[in-house]
Structures are given as structure tokens and as C-alpha cells.
């Protein structure tokens, strides 16, 4: 079970890093006007006539789906693992002071005390 959990962690980390890289590689909507005037069409030769926008968009969607699936799998594994329930039976609680009684921190200092 530990090896399976480690494998899902690795998949989760790689998918998150790939999302970051793919999002940073994509151009904004305003970049298309400037690219059309420069006369370079290298993206069309490598990625096809649609350019690299559809390729990067599809790869980002796939990486996001893998990330969400691995995150859900990790949460499912963690919630169903033995010994993951919260147990507060050993926690010691303070007694609340009775009504009308003050604790030393709530008392006002005497007016004749030098600071």
C-alpha cells in the first residue's frame, strides 16, 4: 500500500509541474496580433495549421485531469487508511472558572503598585 501511495504521489507531482510548464508556455490572447505581423510561421510547421495553441491546450487539459484524479485518489487512500480517525480522548481540558470568580490573569492590578 505504501508503494502504491508513493506512485500516486509521484504522478501527482509530475502532473502539477507539467501544468505549470504548459500554462507558462501558452501565449495570451493579445499575442496573436503581434505574431501575425512578424512573418514567422514556425509554429505552424511543427504543430500543424492550428499552431501550438490547440496542442498546448489539450496537453494542459490532460495534465489537469491526471492531477485531479491523483489528488482524489490520494484523499481516498488517506481517508480509508487504518488509524486516520481523530481521537481526542487523551486531550486534557482546562476547567472553566465558576461564574463570578476571576482568575489571576483577569484581576486588575492594585493602584498603589509601582511599575
Amino acid at each position: 500500500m505504501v508503494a502504491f501511495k508513493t506512485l500516486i504521489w509521484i504522478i501527482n507531482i509530475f502532473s502539477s509541474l507539467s501544468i505549470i510548464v504548459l500554462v507558462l508556455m501558452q501565449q495570451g490572447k493579445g499575442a496573436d496580433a503581434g505574431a501575425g505581423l512578424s512573418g514567422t510561421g514556425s509554429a505552424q510547421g511543427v504543430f500543424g495549421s492550428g499552431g501550438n495553441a490547440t496542442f498546448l491546450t489539450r496537453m494542459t487539459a490532460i495534465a489537469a485531469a491526471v492531477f485531479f484524479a491523483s489528488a482524489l485518489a490520494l484523499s481516498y487512500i488517506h481517508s480509508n487508511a487504518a488509524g486516520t480517525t481523530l481521537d481526542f480522548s487523551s486531550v486534557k481540558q482546562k476547567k472553566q472558572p465558576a461564574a463570578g470568580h476571576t482568575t489571576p490573569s483577569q484581576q486588575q492590578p492594585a493602584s498603589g503598585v509601582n511599575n
Side-chain angles (χ1 to χ4, degrees):
M1 185 63 144
V2 175
F4 183 66
K5 191 174 182 179
T6 305
L7 177 68
I8 294 177
W9 268 112
I10 292 170
I11 291 171
N12 192 308
I13 291 169
F14 279 124
S15 63
S16 65
L17 291 175
S18 65
I19 289 171
I20 292 169
V21 169
L22 288 168
V23 167
L24 290 175
M25 285 176 56
Q26 293 180 17
Q27 293 179 350
K29 296 290 183 186
D32 292 337
L37 298 175
S38 65
T40 58
S42 62
Q44 291 181 356
V46 175
F47 296 110
S49 63
N52 62 356
T54 57
F55 173 75
L56 292 177
T57 304
R58 286 182 186 165
M59 292 305 296
T60 305
I62 291 170
V66 169
F67 175 77
F68 288 130
S70 63
L72 287 173
L74 282 172
S75 65
Y76 179 77
I77 289 170
H78 180 71
S79 66
N80 290 334
T84 58
T85 58
L86 296 176
D87 183 19
F88 294 110
S89 62
S90 63
V91 176
K92 294 182 181 179
Q93 297 182 358
K94 288 184 177 180
K95 282 186 156 181
Q96 294 294 329
H101 293 94
T102 58
T103 60
S105 64
Q106 294 173 340
Q107 293 175 351
Q108 297 295 328
S111 60
V113 176
N114 294 336
N115 290 337

